[in-house]
Amino acid sequence: MSSWRAFPERSWADVRGSFSGFGRGASPFGMAYTADTGRRILNGRVSATIRMGRTDRPAGAGVVCRADDLRSLVAFYIICDPATPGVFSVRVTAFKFGTTVAMAALTEPFELTDDEAHFSLQFFSGTLRGEVRSGDRVATIERLVPEIPFSGHAGLVRFYDCPVFARGVAVEEIGTRPVLPDETVANATRQYEYDVFLSHAKGDEVLVAEVTRAFRDAGITYWMDEEQITFGDPVIGKIEDGLRDSRFVIVALSEILGHNGYSRAEYGAILYREFSGDTARRVIPLSLDGSDSERAIPLLLSEKMRADLTKKESFESLLKFIKNLDAS
């Protein structure tokens, strides 16, 4: 286990494959984590059985993925509110340089048997799936993250300076797309609600309107944020639903896109599924203005064949491609 490192230093120790965490963590949540820095993993799974040393005061622990040495990571864990020690909630949270970015939490409280639980976090492309078991209780969180995934380290985490003991720690890399027990229909035969998820930059509305008119004329159904998201809707959740329910993700490229990072986050999760072997759905670049500049063509899309709205034959070929696959 010589490749494992603790952050802050000496906040964790390993003895013959088991880990113990003691001492103070980093502010503001007393967070301390340890990760296998010997390898960086894009797709994989981390699991461990963790026992809490104290549950009569604020405490929390779990597993992490995509961690680095700058307090950036994604954590799947249980934690009790400082005001209600001993009552735990199940959460997935991203930490960027120590700053929290809330992602998902279960509303039902989670109780521990003998202060111990088994954690498993599977991360594949933009999908995270965490499961925690204690006694006969099981809780799961599955979330599609609308952000470009990245490789990192996997390991353990604790909060509020909570002492913990972990055993059976396992980190494995996944080279092909895992099939979950509830996936009863193959992606290739799945029926999608929309033909296209259309991702575009603010400022390209005039050209995008031309695209959507062509979609409607061709009988192509599409998801687009302006039409599917309204006041009071949870924006990230709606985007997740749109990605999940669309067969293709079309990225509208332009010089304006180069200034817009949020559009990149929308298509990133599906793009990385392609890179990881899940080719049932694909990302298709569509140039709105015909620009070939580095700003207009993101690096991750530069080698993909793209359609061009400024060239009638190219754009009509895209429409036929979508319709022909839809018919098949």
Side-chain angles (χ1 to χ4, degrees):
M1 294 280 181
S2 60
S3 62
W4 285 70
R5 289 182 56 195
F7 309 91
E9 292 185 4
R10 296 185 293 277
S11 59
W12 288 83
D14 64 274
V15 179
R16 295 187 297 275
S18 295
F19 291 81
S20 58
F22 291 96
R24 297 189 64 82
S27 299
F29 305 105
M31 180 176 72
Y33 60 102
T34 182
D36 182 2
T37 59
R39 54 178 171 166
R40 300 183 68 88
I41 299 175
L42 175 63
N43 300 314
R45 183 184 296 108
V46 55
S47 60
T49 298
I50 298 176
R51 177 183 291 272
M52 301 281 196
R54 293 281 301 273
T55 57
D56 60 344
R57 60 184 177 87
V63 291
V64 302
C65 66
R66 293 172 177 158
D68 60 22
D69 57 358
L70 299 174
R71 290 193 296 152
S72 295
L73 51 89
V74 178
F76 172 67
Y77 58 100
I78 57 172
I79 197 164
C80 60
D81 189 291
T84 56
V87 179
F88 289 85
S89 62
V90 182
R91 301 180 187 177
V92 173
T93 301
F95 293 83
K96 295 186 178 181
F97 307 110
T99 302
T100 61
V101 181
M103 296 170 62
L106 300 183
T107 57
E108 293 295 322
F110 190 81
E111 298 181 9
L112 297 185
T113 298
D114 298 327
D115 298 333
E116 186 174 273
H118 182 268
F119 296 83
S120 177
L121 175 61
Q122 179 175 280
F123 46 102
F124 188 89
S125 265
T127 300
L128 298 174
R129 186 176 192 271
E131 178 183 279
V132 57
R133 294 176 176 268
S134 185
D136 59 356
R137 288 174 290 278
V138 180
T140 62
I141 292 179
E142 183 169 354
R143 183 169 180 84
L144 177 63
V145 183
E147 181 173 339
I148 296 178
F150 50 90
S151 62
H153 311 302
L156 309 167
V157 68
R158 60 188 179 89
F159 298 92
Y160 296 123
D161 309 324
C162 170
V164 302
F165 308 89
R167 68 179 191 278
V169 181
V171 177
E172 60 179 307
E173 189 167 6
I174 298 175
T176 58
R177 183 176 186 273
V179 178
L180 301 178
D182 58 350
E183 289 184 333
T184 56
V185 181
N187 275 351
T189 59
R190 177 180 169 183
Q191 297 298 311
Y192 294 98
E193 183 175 353
Y194 304 100
D195 296 316
V196 168
F197 179 104
L198 182 58
S199 178
H200 69 93
K202 302 300 180 185
D204 279 330
E205 288 85 356
V206 173
L207 292 175
V208 168
E210 184 178 340
V211 173
T212 56
R213 281 196 299 271
F215 284 168
R216 291 192 295 270
D217 291 344
I220 294 172
T221 58
Y222 63 90
W223 189 102
M224 189 170 66
D225 53 3
E226 291 96 328
E227 297 185 14
Q228 267 75 30
I229 300 178
T230 188
F231 296 109
D233 284 343
V235 175
I236 298 299
K238 294 287 286 188
I239 291 174
E240 288 180 3
D241 292 341
L243 286 169
R244 188 179 295 111
D245 294 337
S246 301
R247 186 172 204 176
F248 299 104
V249 178
I250 291 185
V251 184
L253 307 179
S254 70
E255 290 288 332
I256 294 176
L257 178 72
H259 297 281
N260 188 297
Y262 196 73
S263 176
R264 192 177 307 116
E266 288 182 343
Y267 65 76
I270 302 300
L271 184 61
Y272 265 83
R273 280 188 176 274
E274 281 195 61
F275 292 164
S276 302
D278 177 8
T279 56
R281 285 184 293 176
R282 67 181 72 185
V283 175
I284 302 175
L286 168 63
S287 176
L288 297 178
D289 55 12
S291 175
D292 288 324
S293 73
E294 292 184 3
R295 181 178 297 278
I297 312 297
L299 179 62
L300 290 174
L301 297 174
S302 60
E303 296 186 0
K304 295 179 73 69
M305 181 177 177
R306 58 183 178 271
D308 192 334
L309 182 64
T310 67
K311 299 177 180 178
K312 182 178 179 181
E313 184 177 349
S314 174
F315 184 62
E316 289 182 349
S317 294
L318 172 64
L319 300 180
K320 291 178 181 178
F321 174 79
I322 295 171
K323 288 303 297 179
N324 286 343
L325 281 188
D326 186 53
S328 63

